Amino acid sequence: MNKKSILITGASSGLGYAAARKLATNGFHVLAAVRRRHGVFDKIENIEEIKLDITDEQSVKESFSYIKSRNKVYPLWGVVNNAGICIPGPLELLRPSELRRQLDTNVTGHLLVTQFALPFIRSTKGRIINVASGLGNIAVPYLGAYSIAQFAKRAFTDVLRRELRHSGVSVSVVQPGKIYTPIWDKFSTMGQEILDQSVDKKWKLYEKSFKNFLMLNQAEGYSFKLTEDDFAQVILDVLTTNKPATHYYIGDEEKDFVEKSRTLTVSEVDEWFDLQSPTAEEFEKV
Ligand SMILES: NC(=O)c1ccc[n+]([C@@H]2O[C@H](COP(=O)([O-])OP(=O)(O)OC[C@H]3O[C@@H](n4cnc5c(N)ncnc54)[C@H](OP(=O)(O)O)[C@@H]3O)[C@@H](O)[C@H]2O)c1
């Protein structure tokens, strides 16, 4: 029998990289999608690196022409919509172009890939996995762009699952808790760059609390208990179980976070973030 093929976006590092390796050693043919070829999968059996920028329609088209040409040998059976970026910063100062970039990557890009993949996945009655975050349950200050994208991705997943209800295709969300991957350093660096370039007077208002936020996140990164392999194992489970669930939350902290989004009132959640925003005195000074 031909091996089932799984396309994973954002496979160059972090969670996507770990999942690609895990699936390849467990009987799947993996199409590991990367924006720039760097050969990390060159000598690994059952993984093919393919070039794919999910925000570029031409790139998506070309990847799927390739997938089509190989589909008889490796029928596409699964897609893991994993690629993502995280743009930090207070909403008052977020450039619209940055919000567009965030949404283009974490939402529109996944829609595009899913649209191209669906004719294949429908015919194989395969599986779609969307990788999401708890910030689609509770929106976090200074991660406004990312939170907006995660709420949108949740809606995208729910609608897709309901629309495909009778198609034989399953749609699952995998929501990892905090796992130390390059995304954490990337967003710290981006945050620092934003701070360094901020000459605007309004920045004075946010500077202290935003710096504090970046520092706390960086320090926290080293203490995370979950690993990339925990994520990869869940992806494997979703692709090998007989009947996948709609939602997978990885780690107790993540389960607790999602639970809080259901049980706390909006005011209680607001209070939770009290210390993260500028003080009344700081607002007075502007
Ligand atoms: N790590 C966590 O704690 C955590 C928690 C919850 C959810 N998540 C989600 O997990 C997913 C993977 O994140 P990660 O932690 O593994 O971070 P990561 O190591 O930074 O990986 C992100 C991947 O996305 C790729 N990517 C970015 N823009 C792209 C584009 N336009 N087209 C194609 N690929 C693109 C990156 O490619 P380049 O190398 O080319 O930039 C990289 O391979 C993200 O969706 C993130 O939101 C992560």
Side-chain angles (χ1 to χ4, degrees):
M1 201 174 95
N2 289 345
K3 272 195 174 138
K4 287 172 179 165
S5 172
I6 311 291
L7 171 69
I8 305 182
T9 63
S12 70
S13 67
L15 305 184
Y17 177 76
R21 295 194 63 142
K22 175 72 84 185
L23 297 182
T25 49
N26 282 278
F28 289 99
H29 175 78
V30 179
L31 296 161
V34 297
R35 270 197 292 190
R36 286 170 286 273
R37 286 195 194 279
H38 42 55
V40 283
F41 297 113
D42 276 0
K43 295 206 164 63
I44 305 176
E45 222 181 315
N46 298 328
I47 301 190
E48 254 185 280
E49 190 181 80
I50 66 167
K51 202 161 166 250
L52 171 58
D53 180 337
I54 64 169
T55 61
D56 174 352
E57 194 157 352
Q58 187 55 31
S59 165
V60 180
K61 243 184 214 161
E62 282 167 17
S63 296
F64 276 91
S65 303
Y66 177 71
I67 289 170
K68 190 174 176 193
S69 72
R70 309 268 284 154
N71 208 51
K72 276 212 169 75
V73 190
Y74 297 118
L76 186 68
W77 188 76
V79 174
V80 184
N81 285 314
N82 165 75
I85 56 171
C86 176
I87 299 176
L91 282 185
E92 185 172 353
L93 298 157
L94 182 73
R95 286 193 217 111
S97 60
E98 291 292 79
L99 179 60
R100 282 189 205 107
R101 188 159 74 91
Q102 178 74 72
L103 293 173
D104 237 19
T105 311
N106 289 55
V107 186
T108 319
H110 296 305
L111 173 70
L112 199 56
V113 169
T114 304
Q115 287 174 338
F116 272 88
L118 265 174
F120 300 99
I121 305 278
R122 268 205 315 272
S123 73
T124 52
K125 297 206 183 310
R127 298 184 183 180
I128 294 174
I129 300 175
N130 285 348
V131 180
S133 146
L135 273 63
N137 297 89
I138 295 180
V140 170
Y142 298 149
L143 288 175
Y146 188 73
S147 300
I148 292 167
Q150 294 299 336
F151 270 80
K153 196 163 179 186
R154 248 183 88 194
F156 162 58
T157 310
D158 283 345
V159 172
L160 188 68
R161 192 182 61 252
R162 288 164 194 160
E163 287 177 355
L164 296 177
R165 196 166 164 74
H166 305 294
S167 68
V169 173
S170 77
V171 180
S172 301
V173 178
V174 170
Q175 207 163 295
K178 295 169 179 173
I179 300 176
Y180 189 62
T181 66
I183 206 169
W184 289 84
D185 288 337
K186 286 181 208 168
F187 102 70
S188 284
T189 308
M190 220 185 293
Q192 196 50 54
E193 281 166 9
I194 295 171
L195 267 176
D196 293 344
Q197 291 158 14
S198 54
V199 283
D200 196 309
K201 196 171 116 226
K202 280 189 219 148
W203 257 106
K204 285 279 158 257
L205 174 60
Y206 293 101
E207 199 172 7
K208 191 168 148 219
S209 52
F210 183 58
K211 256 187 194 161
N212 211 20
F213 162 81
L214 288 177
M215 238 169 52
L216 284 177
N217 271 297
Q218 190 140 40
E220 201 193 9
Y222 301 108
S223 65
F224 299 155
K225 293 195 181 66
L226 287 175
T227 65
E228 293 165 353
D229 193 59
D230 293 326
F231 169 83
Q233 184 58 48
V234 172
I235 297 294
L236 177 64
D237 293 346
V238 183
L239 293 172
T240 49
T241 185
N242 284 338
K243 198 172 180 310
T246 56
H247 291 78
Y248 293 80
Y249 303 110
I250 310 178
D252 290 342
E253 208 189 349
E254 185 65 11
K255 286 174 195 145
D256 187 50
F257 193 77
V258 174
E259 188 59 20
K260 280 197 170 79
S261 74
R262 294 180 182 136
T263 54
L264 295 184
T265 64
V266 175
S267 309
E268 283 167 334
V269 178
D270 288 351
E271 278 167 31
W272 194 11
F273 293 111
D274 256 1
L275 297 176
Q276 202 167 307
S277 38
T279 61
E281 292 73 36
E282 283 167 327
F283 275 108
E284 281 304 315
K285 274 195 233 154
V286 184

